[in-house]
Amino acid sequence: MRAAVNGIDLAYDVEGPPGRPWVVLVHGFPFTRATWAAQAAALAQEYRVLTWDLRGLGESPLGPAPQPLESYVDDLLGLMDALGVARAGLVGLSMGGYLALRAVERAQPRFWALALCDTRSEPDSDEGKLGRAAGIRALHRDGVEPFVRGLLPKLLLRPEAPAGRALSEIMLRNGAAGMANALAAMQGRTDTTPSLAAIGIPSLVVVGSGDAITPPEVARSLAARIRGARLEVLEDAGHVSNLEAPAAFDAALGAFLRDAAPRS
Ligand code: MLT
C-alpha cells in the first residue's frame, strides 16, 4: 500500500486485526520492510502492525534533497497521522533505532512502548563520519554491489546461511542514491543520549551477543540510562538479531509488548 507523506509516496503494510494496539516496526540500513516479515506476521496475531520502507529504500522513492534523519522521523510521525495511528508500540532496529529514539524525543506521548534493537543513542564519532563519507563516495562511484558485499559480514555472524542470502538480496534491490542518502542522514544525526533519562514508557533493549556494529556493551549502557529498561542479549546472533535469532528475538519482543500493551 502507499501513503503520500511529506510529498513522498511511502510504501507500507498493515497486518493484524483492526482495533488492536498498534505496533510500528522500523527497519535498519540498508534494508526494507521485508526484513520484518517474520516479526510482523507473528505480532499480527495480537496487534495491528505497521511496517514501511524508509524513503529511498525498498519501494519508497527518495524525496527531494536535503533529507536529514529528521525527515525520516517526519515520515514516521506523518505516516502514523495519515493512517490514524494515535499511539503505537515502537520497535526500531539499528538505523530504525536512531529514528525511534529521535521520535520519542520529539513525541513521546505518541508511543506506549519502545524497543531498541541493535542500536545506540550516541552520534557518529569523527572516524565514523569519515567512514560514512567513504561509503557515500563508493556507492556513487561503484554502485551497490561491492558496498553490500563488504557490509554483509559485519551484519551477520553467518553471512552464508539462508538468512544472509535473503538479506543480501533485499539490500541489492536498493538503489545507490537512497543508500547514500541514508548514510548522510545517519552521519548527521544528533546525540539522543541526554534525553534517555526522560523516557518514561516501558522500554526494551535487544542486542545480538555477537553484534559487531552496536556491541552488547553499547546496549548495556543504553539500557542502564533508561529507567526500568529491560535488556535482552540474544546468543549466537550478530547485528541483525531478528534475522539471525528469530525465535529468541520474537520471544523477547513478544513478552515485552504483552506486558507493556495498553489494556482495552
Ligand atoms: C543499520 O543496521 O541500520 C546500520 O548498521 C546502522 C549504522 O550504520 O549505524
Side-chain angles (χ1 to χ4, degrees), residues 69-70 73 76 90 92 94-108 114 116 119-125 185-200 203 205 214 218 221-227:
L69 193 89
E70 209 59 9
V73 179
L76 163 60
L90 182 59
S94 201
M95 181 182 179
Y98 307 158
L99 266 71
L101 280 165
R102 179 64 189 133
V104 167
E105 202 169 47
R106 276 174 60 176
Q108 186 167 172
L114 174 64
L116 299 165
T119 193
R120 66 171 78 234
S121 58
E122 297 83 8
D124 284 357
S125 62
M186 290 191 286
Q187 183 191 47
R189 76 188 187 279
T190 54
D191 186 359
T192 50
T193 311
S195 56
L196 295 176
I199 295 178
S203 301
V205 175
T214 49
V218 169
S221 119
L222 177 60
R225 288 168 198 264
I226 304 175
R227 211 172 330 132

Coordinates of all heavy atoms in Angstrom, one line a residue, residues 69-70 73 76 90 92 94-108 114 116 119-125 185-200 203 205 214 218 221-227:
L69 N 18.2 12.9 8.9 CA 17.5 11.9 9.6 C 16.1 12.4 10.1 O 15.2 11.7 10.2 CB 18.3 11.5 10.9 CG 17.8 10.2 11.5 CD1 18.4 9.0 10.8 CD2 18.0 10.1 13.0
E70 N 16.1 13.8 10.4 CA 14.9 14.4 10.8 C 13.7 14.1 9.8 O 12.6 14.0 10.2 CB 15.1 15.9 11.0 CG 14.3 16.5 12.1 CD 14.4 16.0 13.5 OE1 15.3 15.1 13.7 OE2 13.6 16.3 14.3
V73 N 12.2 10.8 10.4 CA 11.4 10.9 11.6 C 10.1 11.5 11.3 O 9.0 11.1 11.7 CB 12.1 11.6 12.8 CG1 11.2 11.6 14.0 CG2 13.4 10.9 13.1
L76 N 7.9 8.9 9.8 CA 7.3 8.0 10.8 C 6.1 8.7 11.4 O 5.0 8.1 11.4 CB 8.3 7.7 11.9 CG 7.8 7.1 13.2 CD1 7.1 5.8 12.9 CD2 9.0 6.9 14.1
L90 N 6.7 1.1 19.6 CA 7.6 1.5 18.6 C 8.9 0.6 18.7 O 9.4 0.4 19.8 CB 8.1 2.9 18.8 CG 9.0 3.5 17.8 CD1 8.5 3.4 16.3 CD2 9.3 5.0 18.1
G92 N 12.5 -0.3 16.8 CA 13.5 0.1 15.8 C 14.8 -0.7 15.9 O 15.3 -0.9 17.0
S94 N 18.6 -0.8 14.7 CA 19.8 -0.1 14.2 C 19.4 1.3 13.7 O 19.0 2.1 14.5 CB 20.5 -0.9 13.2 OG 21.8 -0.4 13.1
M95 N 19.5 1.6 12.4 CA 19.1 2.9 11.9 C 17.6 3.2 12.4 O 17.2 4.3 12.7 CB 19.2 3.0 10.4 CG 18.8 4.4 9.9 SD 18.8 4.5 8.1 CE 18.3 6.2 7.8
G96 N 16.8 2.1 12.4 CA 15.4 2.3 12.9 C 15.4 2.7 14.3 O 14.5 3.4 14.8
G97 N 16.4 2.2 15.1 CA 16.5 2.7 16.5 C 16.9 4.1 16.6 O 16.4 4.8 17.5
Y98 N 17.8 4.6 15.7 CA 18.1 6.0 15.7 C 16.8 6.9 15.5 O 16.6 7.9 16.2 CB 19.1 6.4 14.6 CG 20.4 5.6 14.5 CD1 21.1 5.5 13.3 CD2 20.9 4.9 15.6 CE1 22.3 4.8 13.3 CE2 22.1 4.2 15.5 CZ 22.8 4.1 14.4 OH 23.9 3.4 14.3
L99 N 16.0 6.4 14.5 CA 14.8 7.1 14.3 C 13.8 7.1 15.5 O 13.2 8.0 15.8 CB 14.0 6.5 13.1 CG 14.2 7.0 11.7 CD1 15.6 6.7 11.2 CD2 13.2 6.5 10.7
A100 N 13.8 5.9 16.1 CA 12.8 5.7 17.2 C 13.2 6.6 18.3 O 12.4 7.2 19.0 CB 12.8 4.2 17.6
L101 N 14.5 6.6 18.6 CA 15.0 7.4 19.8 C 14.6 8.9 19.5 O 14.2 9.6 20.4 CB 16.5 7.3 20.0 CG 16.8 6.0 20.8 CD1 18.3 5.7 20.6 CD2 16.5 6.1 22.2
R102 N 14.8 9.4 18.3 CA 14.5 10.8 18.0 C 13.0 11.0 18.0 O 12.6 12.1 18.4 CB 15.2 11.1 16.6 CG 14.9 12.5 16.2 CD 15.6 13.6 17.1 NE 15.1 14.9 16.7 CZ 14.6 15.8 17.5 NH1 14.6 15.6 18.8 NH2 14.2 17.0 17.0
A103 N 12.3 10.0 17.5 CA 10.8 10.2 17.5 C 10.3 10.3 18.9 O 9.4 11.1 19.2 CB 10.1 9.0 16.8
V104 N 10.8 9.5 19.8 CA 10.4 9.5 21.2 C 10.8 10.9 21.9 O 10.1 11.4 22.7 CB 10.9 8.3 22.0 CG1 10.8 8.5 23.5 CG2 10.2 7.0 21.5
E105 N 12.0 11.3 21.5 CA 12.4 12.6 22.0 C 11.5 13.7 21.5 O 11.1 14.6 22.3 CB 13.8 12.9 21.4 CG 14.7 13.9 22.1 CD 16.1 13.9 21.6 OE1 16.3 13.9 20.3 OE2 17.0 13.8 22.4
R106 N 10.9 13.6 20.3 CA 10.0 14.6 19.8 C 8.6 14.5 20.2 O 7.9 15.4 20.4 CB 10.0 14.6 18.2 CG 11.2 15.3 17.6 CD 11.2 15.2 16.1 NE 10.0 15.6 15.4 CZ 9.9 15.6 14.1 NH1 11.0 15.2 13.3 NH2 8.8 16.0 13.5
A107 N 8.2 13.2 20.4 CA 6.7 13.0 20.5 C 6.4 11.7 21.4 O 5.7 10.8 21.0 CB 6.1 12.8 19.1
Q108 N 7.0 11.7 22.6 CA 6.9 10.5 23.5 C 5.4 10.1 23.7 O 5.1 8.9 23.7 CB 7.6 10.8 24.8 CG 7.6 9.5 25.7 CD 8.5 9.6 26.9 OE1 8.5 8.7 27.7 NE2 9.4 10.6 27.0
L114 N 8.8 1.2 23.8 CA 9.9 1.5 23.0 C 10.8 0.3 23.0 O 11.3 -0.1 24.1 CB 10.7 2.7 23.4 CG 12.0 3.1 22.7 CD1 11.7 3.4 21.3 CD2 12.6 4.3 23.4
L116 N 14.4 -1.0 21.5 CA 15.6 -0.6 20.7 C 16.4 -1.8 20.5 O 17.0 -2.4 21.4 CB 16.3 0.5 21.6 CG 15.5 1.7 21.9 CD1 16.1 2.5 23.1 CD2 15.3 2.6 20.7
T119 N 21.1 -1.1 18.5 CA 21.2 0.3 18.1 C 22.0 1.0 19.2 O 22.5 0.4 20.2 CB 19.8 0.9 17.8 OG1 19.9 2.1 17.2 CG2 19.0 1.0 19.1
R120 N 22.1 2.4 19.1 CA 22.8 3.2 20.1 C 22.2 4.6 20.0 O 21.6 5.0 19.1 CB 24.3 3.2 19.8 CG 24.6 4.0 18.5 CD 26.1 4.2 18.3 NE 26.8 3.0 17.9 CZ 27.9 2.5 18.5 NH1 28.4 3.1 19.6 NH2 28.5 1.5 18.1
S121 N 22.4 5.3 21.1 CA 21.9 6.7 21.2 C 23.0 7.7 20.8 O 22.7 8.9 20.4 CB 21.5 7.0 22.6 OG 22.5 6.8 23.5
E122 N 24.3 7.3 20.8 CA 25.3 8.3 20.5 C 25.4 8.6 19.0 O 25.1 7.7 18.2 CB 26.7 7.7 20.9 CG 26.9 7.5 22.4 CD 26.3 6.1 22.8 OE1 25.9 5.3 22.0 OE2 26.2 5.9 24.1
P123 N 25.8 9.8 18.6 CA 26.0 10.1 17.2 C 27.3 9.4 16.7 O 28.0 8.8 17.5 CB 26.2 11.6 17.2 CG 26.7 11.9 18.5 CD 26.2 10.9 19.5
D124 N 27.6 9.6 15.4 CA 28.8 9.0 14.9 C 30.1 9.8 15.4 O 30.0 11.0 15.6 CB 28.9 9.2 13.3 CG 28.0 8.3 12.6 OD1 27.4 7.4 13.3 OD2 27.9 8.4 11.4
S125 N 31.1 9.0 15.7 CA 32.4 9.6 16.0 C 33.0 10.3 14.7 O 32.4 10.0 13.6 CB 33.4 8.5 16.5 OG 33.6 7.6 15.4
A185 N 22.3 10.8 6.2 CA 21.3 11.1 7.3 C 21.9 10.6 8.7 O 21.9 11.3 9.7 CB 20.0 10.5 7.0
M186 N 22.4 9.4 8.6 CA 22.9 8.8 9.9 C 24.2 9.6 10.3 O 24.4 9.8 11.5 CB 23.3 7.3 9.7 CG 22.0 6.4 9.6 SD 22.4 4.7 9.6 CE 23.2 4.4 8.1
Q187 N 25.0 10.0 9.3 CA 26.2 10.8 9.6 C 25.9 12.1 10.4 O 26.6 12.5 11.2 CB 26.9 11.1 8.3 CG 28.2 11.8 8.4 CD 28.6 12.3 7.0 OE1 27.8 12.8 6.2 NE2 29.9 12.0 6.6
G188 N 24.7 12.7 10.0 CA 24.4 14.0 10.6 C 23.4 13.9 11.8 O 22.9 14.9 12.3
R189 N 23.1 12.7 12.3 CA 22.1 12.5 13.4 C 22.7 13.1 14.7 O 23.9 13.2 14.9 CB 21.7 11.1 13.6 CG 22.7 10.2 14.3 CD 22.3 8.8 14.3 NE 23.1 7.9 15.1 CZ 24.3 7.4 14.8 NH1 24.8 7.7 13.6 NH2 25.0 6.7 15.6
T190 N 21.7 13.5 15.5 CA 22.0 14.1 16.8 C 22.3 13.1 17.9 O 21.9 11.9 17.7 CB 20.9 15.1 17.3 OG1 19.7 14.3 17.3 CG2 20.8 16.3 16.3
D191 N 22.8 13.5 19.0 CA 23.0 12.6 20.1 C 21.7 12.6 21.0 O 21.3 13.6 21.5 CB 24.2 13.2 21.0 CG 24.6 12.3 22.1 OD1 24.0 11.2 22.3 OD2 25.5 12.7 22.8
T192 N 21.1 11.4 21.1 CA 19.9 11.3 21.9 C 20.2 10.8 23.3 O 19.2 10.7 24.1 CB 18.8 10.4 21.2 OG1 19.5 9.1 20.8 CG2 18.3 11.0 19.9
T193 N 21.4 10.7 23.6 CA 21.8 10.2 25.0 C 21.3 11.1 26.1 O 20.7 10.6 27.1 CB 23.3 10.1 25.1 OG1 23.8 9.3 24.0 CG2 23.7 9.3 26.4
P194 N 21.4 12.4 25.9 CA 20.9 13.3 27.1 C 19.4 13.1 27.4 O 19.0 13.4 28.5 CB 21.2 14.7 26.6 CG 22.3 14.5 25.5 CD 22.0 13.2 24.9
S195 N 18.6 12.7 26.4 CA 17.2 12.6 26.7 C 16.8 11.2 27.1 O 15.6 11.0 27.3 CB 16.4 13.1 25.5 OG 16.8 12.3 24.4
L196 N 17.7 10.2 27.2 CA 17.3 8.9 27.6 C 16.7 8.9 29.0 O 15.7 8.1 29.3 CB 18.5 7.9 27.6 CG 19.1 7.7 26.3 CD1 20.4 6.8 26.4 CD2 18.1 7.0 25.3
A197 N 17.2 9.8 29.9 CA 16.6 9.9 31.3 C 15.2 10.4 31.3 O 14.5 10.2 32.3 CB 17.5 10.8 32.1
A198 N 14.7 11.0 30.2 CA 13.4 11.5 30.2 C 12.4 10.4 29.6 O 11.2 10.7 29.5 CB 13.3 12.7 29.3
I199 N 12.9 9.3 29.2 CA 12.0 8.3 28.7 C 11.2 7.6 29.8 O 11.8 7.1 30.8 CB 12.8 7.2 27.9 CG1 13.4 7.8 26.6 CG2 11.8 6.1 27.4 CD1 14.3 6.9 25.8
G200 N 9.9 7.7 29.7 CA 9.0 7.2 30.8 C 8.1 6.2 30.4 O 7.1 5.8 31.1
S203 N 10.4 0.2 28.2 CA 11.5 0.1 27.2 C 12.2 -1.2 27.3 O 12.5 -1.8 28.4 CB 12.5 1.2 27.4 OG 11.8 2.5 27.3
V205 N 15.7 -3.2 25.5 CA 16.9 -3.1 24.6 C 17.3 -4.5 24.3 O 17.5 -5.4 25.1 CB 18.1 -2.4 25.4 CG1 19.4 -2.4 24.5 CG2 17.7 -0.9 25.7
T214 N 26.9 -2.6 16.9 CA 26.5 -2.0 18.2 C 26.6 -3.1 19.2 O 25.6 -3.7 19.6 CB 25.0 -1.5 18.1 OG1 24.2 -2.5 17.5 CG2 24.9 -0.2 17.2
V218 N 27.5 -1.6 24.4 CA 26.7 -0.4 24.0 C 25.3 -0.5 24.4 O 24.7 0.4 24.9 CB 26.8 -0.2 22.4 CG1 25.8 0.9 21.9 CG2 28.2 0.2 22.0
S221 N 24.9 -0.1 28.2 CA 24.9 1.3 28.6 C 23.7 2.0 28.2 O 23.1 2.9 29.0 CB 26.2 2.0 28.2 OG 26.0 3.1 27.3
L222 N 23.1 1.7 27.1 CA 21.8 2.3 26.6 C 20.7 1.9 27.6 O 20.0 2.7 28.1 CB 21.5 1.7 25.2 CG 20.2 2.2 24.6 CD1 20.1 3.7 24.4 CD2 20.1 1.5 23.2
A223 N 20.6 0.6 27.9 CA 19.6 0.1 28.9 C 19.8 0.8 30.2 O 18.8 1.1 30.9 CB 19.6 -1.4 28.9
A224 N 21.0 0.9 30.7 CA 21.2 1.5 32.0 C 20.8 2.9 32.1 O 20.5 3.4 33.2 CB 22.7 1.4 32.4
R225 N 20.7 3.6 31.0 CA 20.3 5.0 31.1 C 18.8 5.2 30.9 O 18.3 6.4 31.0 CB 21.0 5.8 29.9 CG 22.5 6.0 30.2 CD 23.1 6.5 28.9 NE 24.5 6.3 28.9 CZ 25.4 7.3 29.2 NH1 25.0 8.4 29.6 NH2 26.7 7.0 29.1
I226 N 18.0 4.2 30.7 CA 16.6 4.3 30.5 C 15.9 3.7 31.7 O 16.1 2.5 32.0 CB 16.1 3.6 29.2 CG1 16.8 4.2 28.0 CG2 14.6 3.8 29.1 CD1 16.5 3.5 26.7
R227 N 15.1 4.5 32.4 CA 14.5 4.0 33.7 C 13.7 2.7 33.4 O 12.9 2.6 32.6 CB 13.6 5.1 34.2 CG 13.4 5.2 35.6 CD 12.6 6.4 36.0 NE 12.7 7.5 35.1 CZ 11.7 8.2 34.6 NH1 10.5 7.9 34.9 NH2 12.0 9.2 33.7

